[in-house]
């Protein structure tokens, strides 16, 4: 594949999207401190929240379910209005935010998961995991896996009766896609009896390493994601003394876990042409293939990091349709096997 150098570091976007990106960047930069702490008060002021809605809005209802109150582990369940005799897959979703920001109640992620539930269609479990720097690795992975364990053990009592845990998908964007990968590895080893992960939707995953890739060097002024921002997020996420070649960060690097012997799910990897992380994301796709796993690469050459949370972009709707196709095809192949 040939990669062309770009004269600019950002795509052409509608003014509404540019304003939203500027606000997001401003409040995360303001809240991030040089000493490795975060001003949560500022974040709470600017992270606009959406409450759950037991009564359907646009054919989707939602409710918040506590997993472990002692660590504020909960998820928001999005349920589309479909006949109870029609079995639907279950999508377990992990939000982005550099392991540091946002939650399932953040308006952008509430809206994304609502669209997933309606358009895929599927029951969507959006996980509220603990955040860095207050909680470092592996807290986020523990939380994600514990939600899967709960659904495997008690899913029939929690989900609507037409939620089909034998057709379960893990999904996430950015840090959430990193989390989804590591939870998928754990799920492969767990031997769940009820829950079966048949697919992984990895939207612009947040991976990295000590090396500076060509994309990181060329896209220095990119929207939302920059080397200083990602370096800070990794530093406050990782255990003291670790570097970015830690296996949590550089999943296909010197400390990578061998997944060759695992029944790793079919994976869809989404990459944006204006995302500084795109070289790491392509390496992830290539590593999955080299490990003998089924993987599909979808590239949006003119899109930046996190493009799909902006519904005014046509590419956001296009991606949801591609995720729908991936889920439909994965379910069909699963049934044949």
């Amino acid at each position: 594949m040939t990669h062309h150098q770009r004269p600019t570091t950002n795509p052409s976007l509608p003014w509404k999207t540019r304003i939203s990106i500027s606000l997001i960047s401003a409040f995360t930069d303001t809240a991030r401190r040089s000493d490795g702490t975060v001003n949560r008060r500022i974040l709470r002021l600017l992270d606009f929240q959406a409450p759950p809605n037991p009564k359907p809005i646009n054919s989707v209802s939602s409710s918040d379910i506590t997993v472990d109150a002692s660590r504020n582990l909960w998820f928001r369940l999005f349920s589309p209005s479909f006949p109870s005799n029609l079995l639907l897959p279950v999508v377990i979703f992990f939000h982005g935010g550099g392991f540091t920001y946002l939650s399932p109640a953040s308006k952008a992620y509430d809206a994304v998961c609502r669209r997933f539930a309606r358009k895929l269609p599927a029951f969507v479990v959006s996980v509220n995991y603990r955040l860095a720097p207050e909680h470092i690795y592996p807290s986020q992975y523990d939380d994600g896996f514990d939600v899967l364990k709960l659904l495997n053990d008690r899913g029939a009592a929690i989900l609507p009766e037409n939620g089909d845990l034998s057709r379960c998908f893990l999904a996430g964007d950015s840090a959430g896609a990193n989390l989804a990968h590591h939870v998928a590895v754990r799920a492969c080893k767990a031997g769940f009896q009820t829950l079966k992960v048949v697919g992984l939707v990895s939207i612009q995953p947040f991976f990295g390493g000590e090396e500076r890739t060509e994309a990181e060097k060329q896209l220095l002024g990119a929207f939302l994601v920059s080397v200083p921002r990602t370096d800070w997020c990794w530093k406050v996420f990782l255990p003291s003394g670790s570097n970015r070649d830690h296996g949590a960060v550089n999943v296909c690097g010197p400390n990578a876990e061998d997944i060759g012997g695992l029944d790793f799910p079919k994976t869809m990897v989404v990459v944006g042409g204006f995302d500084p992380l795109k070289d790491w994301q392509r390496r992830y796709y290539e590593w999955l293939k080299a490990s003998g796993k089924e993987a599909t690469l979808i590239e949006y050459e003119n899109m930046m990091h996190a493009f799909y949370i902006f519904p005014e972009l046509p590419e956001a709707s296009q991606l949801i349709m591609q995720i729908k196709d991936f889920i439909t095809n994965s379910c069909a192949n699963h049934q044949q096997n």
Side-chain angles (χ1 to χ4, degrees), residues 198-246:
V198 298
L200 170 60
V201 179
S202 186
I203 305 171
Q204 297 177 287
F206 184 30
F207 297 133
E210 284 296 298
E211 174 195 349
R212 297 301 187 201
T213 66
E214 285 303 309
E216 286 173 319
K217 290 185 283 189
Q218 290 174 10
L219 298 171
L220 290 174
F223 289 139
L224 297 175
V225 169
S226 65
V227 168
R229 288 171 181 153
T230 57
D231 281 358
W232 186 93
C233 288
W234 289 130
K235 184 176 181 180
V236 302
F237 169 73
L238 291 171
S240 179
S242 302
N243 67 21
R244 293 188 305 274
D245 281 332
H246 188 286

Coordinates of all heavy atoms in Angstrom, one line a residue, residues 198-246:
V198 N -17.8 -13.1 19.2 CA -17.6 -13.5 17.8 C -17.0 -12.4 16.9 O -16.7 -12.7 15.8 CB -19.0 -14.0 17.2 CG1 -19.5 -15.2 17.9 CG2 -20.0 -12.9 17.2
G199 N -16.9 -11.2 17.4 CA -16.3 -10.1 16.6 C -15.8 -9.0 17.5 O -16.2 -8.8 18.6
L200 N -14.8 -8.3 17.0 CA -14.2 -7.1 17.6 C -14.3 -5.9 16.6 O -13.7 -6.0 15.5 CB -12.8 -7.4 18.1 CG -11.9 -6.3 18.6 CD1 -12.6 -5.6 19.8 CD2 -10.5 -6.8 18.9
V201 N -14.9 -4.8 17.1 CA -14.9 -3.6 16.2 C -13.9 -2.6 16.9 O -14.2 -2.1 17.9 CB -16.3 -3.0 16.2 CG1 -16.3 -1.7 15.3 CG2 -17.3 -4.0 15.6
S202 N -12.8 -2.4 16.2 CA -11.7 -1.6 16.7 C -11.6 -0.3 15.9 O -11.1 -0.2 14.8 CB -10.4 -2.4 16.6 OG -9.3 -1.6 17.2
I203 N -12.2 0.8 16.5 CA -12.3 2.1 15.8 C -11.2 3.0 16.2 O -11.1 3.4 17.4 CB -13.7 2.7 16.1 CG1 -14.9 1.8 15.8 CG2 -13.8 4.1 15.3 CD1 -16.2 2.3 16.3
Q204 N -10.2 3.2 15.3 CA -9.1 4.0 15.5 C -8.4 3.8 16.9 O -8.3 4.7 17.7 CB -9.5 5.5 15.4 CG -10.0 5.8 14.0 CD -10.5 7.2 13.9 OE1 -11.6 7.6 14.4 NE2 -9.8 8.1 13.2
P205 N -8.0 2.5 17.1 CA -7.5 2.2 18.5 C -6.3 3.0 18.9 O -5.4 3.4 18.1 CB -7.1 0.7 18.3 CG -6.9 0.5 16.8 CD -7.9 1.4 16.2
F206 N -6.2 3.2 20.2 CA -5.1 4.0 20.8 C -4.0 3.0 21.2 O -4.0 2.4 22.3 CB -5.7 4.7 22.1 CG -4.7 5.6 22.8 CD1 -3.7 6.2 22.1 CD2 -4.9 5.8 24.2 CE1 -2.8 7.1 22.8 CE2 -4.0 6.7 24.9 CZ -3.0 7.3 24.2
F207 N -3.1 2.9 20.3 CA -1.9 2.1 20.5 C -0.7 3.0 20.3 O -0.8 4.1 19.8 CB -1.8 0.9 19.6 CG -2.9 -0.1 19.7 CD1 -3.6 -0.6 18.6 CD2 -3.2 -0.6 20.9 CE1 -4.6 -1.5 18.7 CE2 -4.2 -1.5 21.1 CZ -4.9 -2.0 20.0
G208 N 0.5 2.5 20.7 CA 1.7 3.4 20.6 C 3.0 2.6 20.8 O 3.0 1.4 20.9
G209 N 4.0 3.3 21.1 CA 5.3 2.7 21.4 C 6.4 3.8 21.6 O 6.1 5.0 21.4
E210 N 7.6 3.4 21.9 CA 8.7 4.3 22.1 C 9.0 5.0 20.8 O 9.4 6.2 20.7 CB 9.9 3.6 22.7 CG 9.7 3.3 24.2 CD 9.7 4.6 25.0 OE1 10.6 5.4 25.0 OE2 8.6 4.9 25.6
E211 N 8.9 4.3 19.7 CA 9.2 4.8 18.4 C 8.3 5.9 18.0 O 7.1 5.9 18.4 CB 9.1 3.7 17.3 CG 9.3 4.1 15.9 CD 8.8 3.1 14.9 OE1 8.5 1.9 15.3 OE2 8.6 3.4 13.7
R212 N 8.8 6.9 17.3 CA 7.9 7.9 16.7 C 7.7 7.5 15.2 O 8.6 7.5 14.4 CB 8.5 9.3 16.7 CG 8.7 9.9 18.1 CD 7.5 9.9 18.9 NE 7.7 10.6 20.2 CZ 6.9 10.5 21.3 NH1 5.8 9.8 21.2 NH2 7.2 11.2 22.4
T213 N 6.4 7.2 14.9 CA 6.1 6.8 13.5 C 6.1 8.0 12.6 O 6.1 9.2 13.0 CB 4.8 6.1 13.5 OG1 3.7 7.1 13.8 CG2 4.7 4.9 14.5
E214 N 6.1 7.7 11.3 CA 6.0 8.8 10.3 C 4.7 9.6 10.4 O 4.8 10.8 10.3 CB 6.1 8.2 8.8 CG 7.4 7.7 8.4 CD 8.5 8.8 8.5 OE1 8.2 9.9 8.0 OE2 9.5 8.6 9.2
A215 N 3.6 9.0 10.7 CA 2.4 9.7 10.9 C 2.5 10.6 12.1 O 2.0 11.8 12.1 CB 1.2 8.7 11.1
E216 N 3.0 10.2 13.2 CA 3.2 11.0 14.4 C 4.1 12.2 14.1 O 3.8 13.3 14.6 CB 3.8 10.2 15.5 CG 2.8 9.2 16.2 CD 3.4 8.3 17.2 OE1 4.5 7.8 17.0 OE2 2.7 8.0 18.2
K217 N 5.1 12.0 13.3 CA 6.0 13.1 12.9 C 5.3 14.1 11.9 O 5.6 15.3 12.0 CB 7.3 12.6 12.4 CG 8.1 11.9 13.5 CD 9.5 11.5 13.0 CE 9.4 10.2 12.2 NZ 10.8 9.7 11.9
Q218 N 4.6 13.6 11.0 CA 4.0 14.4 9.9 C 2.7 15.1 10.4 O 2.5 16.3 10.0 CB 3.6 13.5 8.7 CG 4.8 13.0 8.0 CD 4.4 12.0 6.9 OE1 3.2 11.9 6.6 NE2 5.4 11.3 6.3
L219 N 2.0 14.5 11.3 CA 0.7 15.1 11.7 C 0.8 15.8 13.1 O -0.1 15.5 14.0 CB -0.4 14.0 11.7 CG -0.7 13.4 10.3 CD1 -1.6 12.2 10.4 CD2 -1.3 14.4 9.3
L220 N 1.8 16.6 13.2 CA 2.0 17.2 14.5 C 0.9 18.1 15.1 O 0.6 18.1 16.3 CB 3.3 18.0 14.5 CG 4.6 17.2 14.3 CD1 5.8 18.2 14.1 CD2 4.9 16.4 15.5
G221 N 0.2 18.8 14.2 CA -0.9 19.7 14.6 C -2.2 19.1 14.4 O -3.2 19.8 14.2
A222 N -2.4 17.8 14.4 CA -3.7 17.1 14.1 C -4.7 17.4 15.2 O -4.4 17.7 16.4 CB -3.5 15.6 14.0
F223 N -6.0 17.4 14.8 CA -7.1 17.6 15.7 C -7.1 16.5 16.8 O -6.8 15.3 16.5 CB -8.4 17.5 15.0 CG -8.7 18.7 14.1 CD1 -9.3 18.5 12.8 CD2 -8.4 20.0 14.5 CE1 -9.6 19.5 12.0 CE2 -8.7 21.1 13.6 CZ -9.3 20.8 12.4
L224 N -7.4 16.9 18.0 CA -7.7 16.0 19.2 C -6.5 15.2 19.7 O -6.2 15.2 20.9 CB -8.8 15.1 18.9 CG -10.2 15.7 18.6 CD1 -11.2 14.7 18.2 CD2 -10.7 16.5 19.8
V225 N -5.8 14.6 18.8 CA -4.7 13.7 19.2 C -3.4 14.3 18.7 O -3.2 14.7 17.5 CB -4.8 12.3 18.5 CG1 -3.6 11.4 18.7 CG2 -6.0 11.6 19.2
S226 N -2.4 14.4 19.6 CA -1.1 14.9 19.3 C -0.1 14.1 20.2 O -0.5 13.5 21.2 CB -1.0 16.4 19.6 OG -1.1 16.7 21.0
V227 N 1.2 14.2 19.8 CA 2.2 13.4 20.6 C 2.2 13.9 22.1 O 2.2 13.1 23.0 CB 3.6 13.6 19.9 CG1 4.7 13.1 20.9 CG2 3.6 12.7 18.6
P228 N 2.2 15.2 22.4 CA 2.2 15.6 23.8 C 1.0 15.1 24.5 O 1.1 14.7 25.7 CB 2.2 17.1 23.7 CG 2.8 17.5 22.4 CD 2.4 16.4 21.5
R229 N -0.2 15.1 23.9 CA -1.4 14.6 24.6 C -1.3 13.1 24.8 O -1.6 12.6 25.9 CB -2.6 14.9 23.8 CG -3.0 16.4 23.8 CD -4.1 16.7 22.8 NE -4.4 18.2 22.8 CZ -4.9 18.8 21.7 NH1 -5.1 18.2 20.6 NH2 -5.2 20.1 21.8
T230 N -0.9 12.3 23.8 CA -0.8 10.9 24.0 C 0.3 10.5 24.9 O 0.1 9.6 25.7 CB -0.7 10.2 22.6 OG1 0.5 10.6 22.0 CG2 -1.9 10.4 21.7
D231 N 1.4 11.2 24.9 CA 2.5 10.9 25.8 C 2.0 11.0 27.3 O 2.3 10.2 28.2 CB 3.7 11.7 25.6 CG 4.6 11.3 24.4 OD1 4.2 10.2 23.8 OD2 5.6 11.9 24.1
W232 N 1.3 12.1 27.5 CA 0.7 12.4 28.9 C -0.2 11.3 29.3 O -0.1 10.8 30.4 CB 0.0 13.7 28.9 CG -0.4 14.2 30.3 CD1 0.3 14.9 31.2 CD2 -1.6 13.8 30.9 NE1 -0.4 15.1 32.3 CE2 -1.6 14.4 32.2 CE3 -2.7 13.1 30.5 CZ2 -2.7 14.3 33.1 CZ3 -3.8 13.0 31.4 CH2 -3.7 13.6 32.7
C233 N -1.1 10.9 28.4 CA -2.1 9.8 28.7 C -1.4 8.5 29.0 O -1.8 7.8 30.0 CB -3.1 9.7 27.6 SG -4.3 11.0 27.4
W234 N -0.4 8.1 28.2 CA 0.3 6.9 28.5 C 1.0 7.0 29.9 O 1.1 6.0 30.6 CB 1.3 6.6 27.4 CG 0.7 6.1 26.1 CD1 1.0 6.6 24.9 CD2 -0.3 5.1 25.9 NE1 0.2 6.0 23.9 CE2 -0.6 5.1 24.5 CE3 -1.0 4.3 26.8 CZ2 -1.5 4.2 24.0 CZ3 -1.9 3.4 26.2 CH2 -2.2 3.3 24.8
K235 N 1.6 8.1 30.1 CA 2.4 8.3 31.4 C 1.6 8.1 32.6 O 2.0 7.4 33.6 CB 3.1 9.6 31.4 CG 4.1 9.8 32.6 CD 4.8 11.2 32.5 CE 5.7 11.3 33.7 NZ 6.4 12.6 33.6
V236 N 0.4 8.6 32.6 CA -0.5 8.5 33.8 C -1.3 7.2 33.9 O -1.8 6.9 34.9 CB -1.4 9.7 33.9 CG1 -0.7 11.1 33.9 CG2 -2.5 9.8 32.8
F237 N -1.3 6.5 32.8 CA -2.0 5.2 32.7 C -1.1 4.1 33.1 O -1.6 3.1 33.8 CB -2.5 5.0 31.3 CG -3.0 3.6 31.0 CD1 -4.2 3.2 31.5 CD2 -2.3 2.7 30.2 CE1 -4.7 1.9 31.2 CE2 -2.7 1.4 29.9 CZ -4.0 1.0 30.4
L238 N 0.2 4.1 32.7 CA 1.1 3.0 33.0 C 1.6 2.9 34.4 O 1.7 4.0 35.0 CB 2.2 3.0 32.0 CG 1.9 2.8 30.5 CD1 3.0 3.1 29.6 CD2 1.4 1.3 30.3
P239 N 2.0 1.7 34.9 CA 2.7 1.7 36.1 C 4.0 2.5 36.1 O 4.7 2.6 35.1 CB 3.0 0.2 36.3 CG 2.1 -0.5 35.4 CD 1.8 0.4 34.2
S240 N 4.4 3.0 37.3 CA 5.7 3.7 37.4 C 6.8 2.9 36.9 O 7.0 1.7 37.2 CB 5.9 4.1 38.9 OG 7.1 4.8 39.0
G241 N 7.7 3.5 36.1 CA 8.9 2.8 35.6 C 8.7 2.2 34.2 O 9.6 1.7 33.6
S242 N 7.4 2.2 33.7 CA 7.1 1.6 32.4 C 7.3 2.6 31.3 O 7.2 3.8 31.5 CB 5.7 1.1 32.4 OG 5.4 0.1 33.4
N243 N 7.6 2.1 30.1 CA 7.7 2.9 29.0 C 6.6 2.5 27.9 O 5.8 1.6 28.2 CB 9.1 3.0 28.3 CG 9.5 1.7 27.7 OD1 8.7 0.8 27.4 ND2 10.8 1.5 27.5
R244 N 6.6 3.2 26.8 CA 5.5 3.0 25.9 C 5.6 1.7 25.1 O 4.7 1.4 24.2 CB 5.4 4.2 24.9 CG 5.0 5.5 25.6 CD 4.7 6.6 24.6 NE 5.8 6.8 23.7 CZ 6.9 7.6 24.0 NH1 6.9 8.3 25.2 NH2 7.9 7.8 23.2
D245 N 6.6 0.9 25.3 CA 6.7 -0.4 24.7 C 6.1 -1.5 25.7 O 6.2 -2.7 25.4 CB 8.1 -0.8 24.4 CG 8.6 -0.2 23.1 OD1 7.7 0.1 22.2 OD2 9.8 0.1 22.9
H246 N 5.5 -1.0 26.7 CA 4.7 -1.9 27.6 C 3.6 -2.6 26.7 O 3.1 -2.1 25.7 CB 4.0 -1.1 28.7 CG 3.3 -1.8 29.7 ND1 2.1 -2.5 29.5 CD2 3.6 -2.1 31.0 CE1 1.7 -3.1 30.6 NE2 2.6 -2.8 31.6

